[in-house]
Structures are given as structure tokens and as C-alpha cells.
Amino acid sequence: MDIKREEGAALDLAEVLEVYRSSGLGERRPVADTERMADMVRNANLVVTCRIDGALVGIARSVSDFSYVTYLSDIAVSAAHQRSGIGRALIEATREEAPTAKIVLLSAPAATDYYPHIGFTRHDSAWLLNP
């Protein structure tokens, strides 16, 4: 398992989209709009990936000021590799890139029980303003 920071713009979008689709996160992201997905990956300033034998199997996409807060906007692990510690490793690698920043995320409904298990605390005052 190779976990490392990569430039979003350098990633193969087809590989990224396959991870999103396989992970289930593609159901809640605009994967059919490849231009928008490319912008999402390219403009994230902190992207951590997991590769196994060179193949992309996990991605954590964040926006961070590297000091106070990192917004972990997406964490996706291919279905075949879920429950193997990759998600936790991606979060830890994200934390290591900005060690003094808190990590904030919005959980997918199916993952709400996962995050407390790895040390996250619930925050009840998040707000959304859709475009």
C-alpha cells in the first residue's frame, strides 16, 4: 500500500472516477460531469492517494490552510479495498500534511458510525448553502 500526497491536476481522471464510482461516493458526486469532477480534483490543494501495485484504490480530497482547518471534502476507497485500513491511512496522511489543523468533514449517511470510531466528534452546527 502506497499512501502519498499527489497533485490533483496530475491524476488520471478516469482512475479517479473509477474510485468514486466503486466506493459508492459517486452516488453523491457529479461523476457524469467530467469537467466539474476534473475541476474538483485539480483545485483541491491537498490530495492524498492510496495505490496498490500502481493502481489508484483510494483518494482523500481536501482544501486546507495548513494551519487552522482542513476541510476533508471527499474520502473514497474502492469497494474491493474497503475495511482494510485505507480510509484511516488516508485520513492520517491528510493530518500529517497539516498537523496543527483540525479536520472537518461532512459524513456520507452510511459512514456516520465510522468517524466516531476513529476519533472524530460530532458537531451539530454545520450549515449548507447550495448554489
Side-chain angles (χ1 to χ4, degrees), residues 17-84:
L17 291 173
E18 180 54 34
V19 171
Y20 274 73
R21 288 182 183 110
S22 174
S23 71
L25 187 58
E27 297 170 9
R28 292 174 303 287
R29 296 297 183 270
V31 294
D33 185 344
T34 57
E35 187 174 321
R36 190 171 188 193
M37 286 296 297
D39 285 345
M40 289 167 55
V41 175
R42 180 177 49 248
N43 292 322
N45 68 343
L46 176 54
V47 177
V48 178
T49 62
C50 177
R51 293 182 181 277
I52 296 178
D53 298 326
L56 185 68
V57 298
I59 185 169
R61 187 180 67 84
S62 302
V63 176
S64 183
D65 59 23
F66 298 95
S67 178
Y68 182 71
V69 67
T70 297
Y71 170 58
L72 178 55
S73 49
D74 292 335
I75 183 162
V77 177
S78 296
H81 298 283
Q82 291 178 0
R83 301 192 190 284
S84 66

Side-chain angles (χ1 to χ4, degrees), residues 1 60 75 77 81 83-92 114 118:
M1 176 168 46
I75 183 162
V77 177
H81 298 283
R83 301 192 190 284
S84 66
I86 292 173
R88 184 185 293 236
L90 288 167
I91 292 169
E92 186 54 37
Y114 172 71
I118 61 169

